[in-house]
Amino acid sequence: MARTQGSHSGITGPRVRDAALRLFARDGYAAVSMRQIAREVGVQAGALYNYTPDKQTLLFSLLKNHMDELLAEWAQVETSGSPLDRLERFARFHIRFNIERPEAIFISYMELRNLEPGNFAVIEDLRRTYEKELETILRDGGKSGVFDVPDPRIATMAVIAMLTGVNTWYRADGRLTLEQVETIYWDMVRKTVEA
Amino acid sequence: MARTQGSHSGITGPRVRDAALRLFARDGYAAVSMRQIAREVGVQAGALYNYTPDKQTLLFSLLKNHMDELLAEWAQVETSGSPLDRLERFARFHIRFNIERPEAIFISYMELRNLEPGNFAVIEDLRRTYEKELETILRDGGKSGVFDVPDPRIATMAVIAMLTGVNTWYRADGRLTLEQVETIYWDMVRKTVEA
DNA sequence: GTTTGATTTGAACGTGCGTTCAGATAGGCT
DNA sequence: AGCCTATCTGAACGCACGTTCAAATCAAAC
């Protein structure tokens, strides 16, 4: 019978994932060995295989989890209102979500190429689903005349690139609060697409 | 005396750099072995060390070359005129330069973390120099009232992120010409910062 | 206090890594 | 024709990799 208390599995499992996330983000998937992850957790390399069938699946699982969380949290954001309101919510949500988990975001952009084709397709599909959310907002605003977006797909990519860029320079101890950054970016995003 | 004709050095050298650039871009620095690069060139691994002291220096040299080329080409762009004109030139230049060498651009963003600290500092400094060019344009436009950029540094990062994002989706055989893409992005950039 | 099974160890597997270097090769020079 | 030397080969170095697995460990269940 499985132990339900005092089992190390419930402790070691998350610690393996935490260590892998942190090390993959810092040094890159290819540069991090299973032995490094194990050392971080305080365990021998063999023990990791109680928690993942292999290294590739560990990476995929981290990314899949991240994307699921992204979509789940976005699903909880109010979706009613004008395209302008919805766009503001998206911009602020995107910045805040990304800043709160820089390591997962970093891996999501850097390690896609290290996913096997099948795994890559899954993540790519989830990413596209997320992008479609923004695209829909921009199309709605275009139809109603509030936005001027000659090419909604490109505008989507441009806005996401701009927002995602925050992670490359924002520091929690910097001169601006996250709220201030959100507002500055929201202002720029609004001007970018407004009619 | 050094052979100046028929020498393989003049042929193999560039081929090593080409292969390294392509493979680093496709699979990542850490995932590419010297033996793979050598195989691509049609040579044994040991021969590579006639052209680079080690793998790390090969990566650094590619990035350094790229940054030097970026700054050299930008230096040839007309710098006179109104901030609006200068911003348009920057936007179009940035897109075109990036699209013309996607592999070098990709490596420049992905493999920075694989540079030794000293090498990293050099590349980072060159990047900042380039960013300052845009920042100056935005500040000048702000002073003259043509632009409304409450935070020029952030606006710089936002614009560069937006423009650099083109490389993630643009395909030469896609539905838009590079000229069309430039124009669409220039329009968005202009709106982003215009007063 | 013994049994049970989830968890971990520690060693081993074959493979490939970056780099070095003595020796072979071959093209330009005199 | 023969020398010179830039260039390349092929083998070797020690080391680390991802993964496997029998044996050891140890906390919960009885």
Side-chain angles (χ1 to χ4, degrees):
Chain A
M1 179 165 272
R3 283 179 291 177
T4 52
Q5 259 189 7
S7 166
H8 287 186
S9 176
I11 298 169
T12 307
R15 293 199 350 120
V16 167
R17 301 174 60 81
D18 286 356
L21 186 74
R22 192 171 60 254
L23 292 177
F24 287 166
R26 200 189 62 189
D27 301 330
Y29 172 77
V32 173
S33 71
M34 294 298 268
R35 284 174 178 83
Q36 277 176 63
I37 298 171
R39 198 179 316 134
E40 202 82 356
V41 176
V43 105
Q44 294 298 315
L48 300 183
Y49 291 84
N50 289 314
Y51 305 97
T52 181
D54 48 47
K55 191 186 175 190
Q56 163 72 203
T57 305
L58 179 54
L59 172 62
F60 172 68
S61 155
L62 290 173
L63 293 183
K64 175 70 164 57
N65 246 40
H66 171 69
M67 292 308 296
D68 288 345
E69 198 182 354
L70 170 66
L71 290 170
E73 290 221 8
W74 171 246
Q76 293 191 5
V77 174
E78 179 67 46
T79 59
S80 66
S82 70
L84 204 65
D85 287 343
R86 287 155 61 204
L87 182 60
E88 176 169 8
R89 274 186 231 117
F90 184 92
R92 290 185 185 273
F93 167 80
H94 188 90
I95 290 176
R96 189 167 291 268
F97 186 87
N98 281 15
I99 287 296
E100 279 170 358
R101 37 182 82 58
E103 287 157 341
I105 294 293
F106 200 69
I107 293 177
S108 287
Y109 278 87
M110 304 288 269
E111 306 300 352
L112 282 179
R113 66 165 138 196
N114 287 309
L115 289 175
E116 288 166 4
N119 290 341
F120 176 81
V122 172
I123 302 298
E124 199 58 8
D125 189 59
L126 293 170
R127 181 198 296 273
R128 240 179 258 280
T129 300
Y130 179 66
E131 289 172 358
K132 280 285 171 201
E133 295 290 313
L134 172 56
E135 192 175 330
T136 300
I137 295 173
L138 294 181
R139 283 188 192 280
D140 288 351
K143 270 184 242 162
S144 75
V146 191
F147 298 156
D148 177 21
V149 277
D151 194 308
R153 179 68 192 148
I154 290 187
T156 299
M157 299 308 285
V159 168
I160 286 190
M162 187 196 276
L163 294 176
T164 303
V166 175
N167 272 51
T168 64
W169 59 264
Y170 179 83
R171 298 292 170 264
D173 57 358
R175 66 187 161 88
L176 296 169
T177 67
L178 188 51
E179 170 65 26
Q180 288 174 311
V181 173
E182 278 180 33
T183 301
I184 291 172
Y185 268 82
W186 159 234
D187 202 49
M188 291 191 289
V189 167
R190 182 183 49 71
K191 288 167 70 179
T192 302
V193 301
E194 227 172 18
Chain B
M1 178 167 274
R3 285 178 290 178
T4 52
Q5 260 190 6
S7 166
H8 288 187
S9 177
I11 297 169
T12 307
R15 289 197 356 116
V16 167
R17 299 174 61 81
D18 285 356
L21 186 75
R22 192 171 59 255
L23 292 177
F24 286 167
R26 199 189 63 188
D27 300 330
Y29 172 78
V32 173
S33 71
M34 294 300 266
R35 284 171 179 83
Q36 277 176 63
I37 297 171
R39 199 180 313 133
E40 201 83 358
V41 175
V43 107
Q44 293 298 316
L48 300 183
Y49 290 84
N50 289 315
Y51 305 99
T52 182
D54 48 47
K55 191 187 175 190
Q56 163 73 202
T57 304
L58 179 54
L59 172 62
F60 172 68
S61 156
L62 290 173
L63 293 183
K64 176 71 162 58
N65 246 39
H66 170 71
M67 293 308 295
D68 287 345
E69 199 183 355
L70 171 65
L71 290 170
E73 291 221 7
W74 170 246
Q76 294 190 5
V77 174
E78 180 66 47
T79 59
S80 67
S82 70
L84 203 66
D85 287 343
R86 287 156 61 203
L87 182 59
E88 175 168 7
R89 273 186 231 117
F90 184 93
R92 290 185 184 272
F93 167 81
H94 187 91
I95 290 177
R96 190 168 290 267
F97 186 88
N98 280 15
I99 286 297
E100 278 170 359
R101 38 182 80 60
E103 286 158 340
I105 293 294
F106 200 71
I107 293 177
S108 286
Y109 278 87
M110 305 289 269
E111 305 300 351
L112 281 180
R113 67 167 135 192
N114 287 309
L115 289 176
E116 288 165 5
N119 291 340
F120 176 82
V122 172
I123 301 297
E124 198 61 7
D125 189 58
L126 292 171
R127 180 199 296 272
R128 241 179 257 278
T129 300
Y130 179 67
E131 289 172 358
K132 281 285 171 202
E133 295 291 312
L134 172 57
E135 191 175 329
T136 301
I137 295 173
L138 295 180
R139 284 189 192 280
D140 288 351
K143 272 183 240 161
S144 74
V146 192
F147 298 155
D148 177 21
V149 278
D151 193 309
R153 180 72 193 144
I154 289 187
T156 299
M157 299 308 284
V159 168
I160 285 190
M162 188 196 274
L163 294 175
T164 303
V166 174
N167 272 51
T168 64
W169 59 264
Y170 178 82
R171 297 293 170 263
D173 57 357
R175 66 189 162 87
L176 296 168
T177 66
L178 187 51
E179 169 64 28
Q180 288 174 313
V181 173
E182 279 180 32
T183 301
I184 291 172
Y185 269 82
W186 158 235
D187 202 50
M188 289 191 291
V189 167
R190 182 184 48 73
K191 289 167 69 180
T192 302
V193 301
E194 226 172 19

